[in-house]
Amino acid sequence: MPRMFNRPRLAVRKLACATGAMAIVALLGPAAAQAAKLTLGNGDQVSGEILDLKDQTLRLKSPLFGEVKIPWSQVAELRSDEGVRIRLADGTELQGQLVLQPDGKVVVAQGAAPARDLERADVALLNPPVADNATKYSGHATLGGTFNRGNSRDDALNLDAELVARAPTNRYTLNAESHEAKSTGVTTTSNRLLSGQYDRFLTPKDYLFVNAKAQTDKQADLTLRSTLGAGYGRQFFETDVKKLSAEAGLSYVNENYDLAANKSFPALSLGLNYEQKFFDNRLVLFNKTDVSVSLSNTQDTLLKNKFGFRVPIANGLNLSTQLNISYDHSPPLGVKKTDTNVVVGVGYAF
């Protein structure tokens, strides 16, 4: 019988200890975790950690309610800890303790530095994303060719490479192409292209560009076609999955031929660059188009298009198939207007 009475007493003691521990956590835990306290226009109060303020919506992580979204206009009072990053409407960034007063005044205390007195409208963002100003590099190189020995003696080598250096407001692009082929010792294809472009981004999507190109084509009697251009571009998409940009500008084209008469002309230049990954990055489709139309004689029209796809294998390696089309509306006598080239090869992309 005494043991029967002792068990309830022991259970009561354990319950009391647990209740006391919960009370301590309830008293101390919120004090340590609640980095901000705010009062709404209706008098309700919420405490928690400020996640961010963007699009006039304050996100708060509350110990009781989880993530809470509150319209910034409904916050009557707010007092944060000292670790909040504040971006003002003029782009200035501050870090410190933010106090929003009932009259709409905002005070930012920055440790030993003088406090800043602001208006509610001056606060654009709280805890904005940290800008990554590092330059990122990407590119690809594709190599393909055929080498026949025996009843026939044919050689073909195709190279297509691109290197892109991208910073938040700058982009540098370098392209190189080379197509060489011989049959029974006679050169049947020999053309090369080297181009470079610099883009200066005015906004995340709008940019100005300058570029330069140099091209040779032995079979088309072209010893050198040099182009200098500048213009405006629009980057519609630029993600790991999809990239799409369009450009328009003016250029100056100078063509030197081996036999035909040399010529030069100002031109309107148009460009389109598209790349997209499908099926969880198992297929990469790409297309690049450049058009140049003379401003003095529309018969001097040039077009170059690269269309193809890459199938990643492993560790950056891929199989690539690419169709190149070059069109010259006014080629030298005896030279065809359209030249096509199919390249199948192994590539590397990063």
Side-chain angles (χ1 to χ4, degrees):
M1 291 296 292
R3 291 182 180 179
M4 294 178 62
F5 287 105
N6 288 338
R7 288 179 181 176
R9 292 176 182 174
L10 182 59
V12 171
R13 290 175 183 174
K14 289 182 178 180
L15 179 60
C17 291
T19 304
M22 292 175 62
I24 294 174
V25 171
L27 291 174
L28 298 182
Q34 294 173 2
K37 294 183 179 180
L38 62 86
T39 302
L40 302 180
N42 61 4
D44 291 345
Q45 294 185 340
V46 183
S47 298
E49 175 188 357
I50 293 178
L51 298 178
D52 58 35
L53 168 67
K54 62 180 180 180
D55 300 328
Q56 294 300 303
T57 300
L58 179 67
R59 288 197 310 135
L60 199 74
K61 185 177 180 181
S62 168
L64 296 178
F65 308 110
E67 182 178 316
V68 180
K69 295 183 180 181
I70 304 171
W72 180 234
S73 59
Q74 294 185 13
V75 180
E77 297 181 60
L78 172 65
R79 179 179 294 272
S80 76
D81 65 359
E82 298 179 354
V84 174
R85 293 180 292 110
I86 304 111
R87 180 177 296 172
L88 305 183
D90 62 3
T92 304
E93 294 201 4
L94 308 172
Q95 181 167 344
Q97 182 187 37
L98 182 144
V99 178
L100 171 63
Q101 300 174 348
D103 59 0
K105 300 293 183 179
V106 176
V107 179
V108 179
Q110 306 177 80
R116 290 283 301 269
D117 294 328
L118 307 167
E119 299 292 336
R120 176 196 288 265
D122 294 331
V123 180
L125 299 172
L126 296 181
N127 293 337
V130 178
D132 184 3
N133 296 320
T135 301
K136 297 178 174 59
Y137 296 90
S138 62
H140 67 266
T142 302
L143 183 65
T146 58
F147 303 93
N148 298 323
R149 294 295 183 271
N151 294 324
S152 62
R153 185 181 180 89
D154 301 315
D155 300 323
L157 182 65
N158 301 286
L159 172 66
D160 186 298
E162 180 182 73
L163 176 64
V164 180
R166 180 72 160 94
T169 57
N170 302 289
R171 180 170 59 194
Y172 303 86
T173 305
L174 183 65
N175 288 280
E177 294 181 35
S178 178
H179 307 284
E180 304 287 337
K182 288 184 178 181
S183 179
T184 62
V186 178
T187 300
T188 57
T189 301
S190 180
N191 60 74
R192 300 172 185 177
L193 172 66
L194 180 64
S195 66
Q197 179 164 313
Y198 168 68
D199 303 322
R200 174 66 177 182
F201 281 82
L202 308 176
T203 70
K205 292 184 178 295
D206 301 287
Y207 62 90
L208 300 177
F209 70 85
V210 293
N211 58 29
K213 302 175 185 178
Q215 182 180 4
T216 64
D217 192 336
K218 184 176 181 179
Q219 276 57 50
D221 192 38
L222 182 66
T223 56
L224 178 63
R225 176 185 290 128
S226 57
T227 305
L228 294 175
Y232 163 80
R234 175 75 173 177
Q235 189 74 51
F236 296 99
F237 303 100
E238 190 178 21
T239 67
D240 292 336
V241 176
K242 180 165 58 176
K243 297 178 182 178
L244 175 64
S245 63
E247 298 174 351
L250 298 175
S251 61
Y252 187 79
V253 182
N254 184 73
E255 297 179 333
N256 295 325
Y257 294 95
D258 188 20
L259 299 176
N262 299 333
K263 57 183 177 180
S264 58
F265 50 87
L268 171 67
S269 60
L270 303 172
L272 181 69
N273 196 2
Y274 165 72
E275 180 178 301
Q276 186 166 354
K277 298 177 181 178
F278 295 92
F279 310 118
D280 196 21
N281 301 338
R282 288 191 289 269
L283 176 67
V284 181
L285 183 69
F286 60 90
N287 184 86
K288 185 173 184 179
T289 305
D290 292 300
V291 180
S292 178
V293 181
S294 172
L295 297 177
S296 56
N297 183 1
T298 56
Q299 297 296 313
D300 289 321
T301 298
L302 303 170
L303 180 145
K304 183 173 179 60
N305 189 82
K306 294 194 301 183
F307 171 80
F309 59 88
R310 294 187 289 269
V311 179
I313 304 173
N315 299 324
L317 295 177
N318 60 73
L319 297 177
S320 175
T321 300
Q322 179 175 313
L323 172 64
N324 299 326
I325 300 176
S326 297
Y327 175 80
D328 185 347
H329 189 70
S330 299
L333 185 64
V335 177
K336 293 183 178 181
K337 293 184 178 182
T338 304
D339 191 15
T340 60
N341 182 30
V342 178
V343 179
V344 178
V346 178
Y348 177 76
F350 62 96

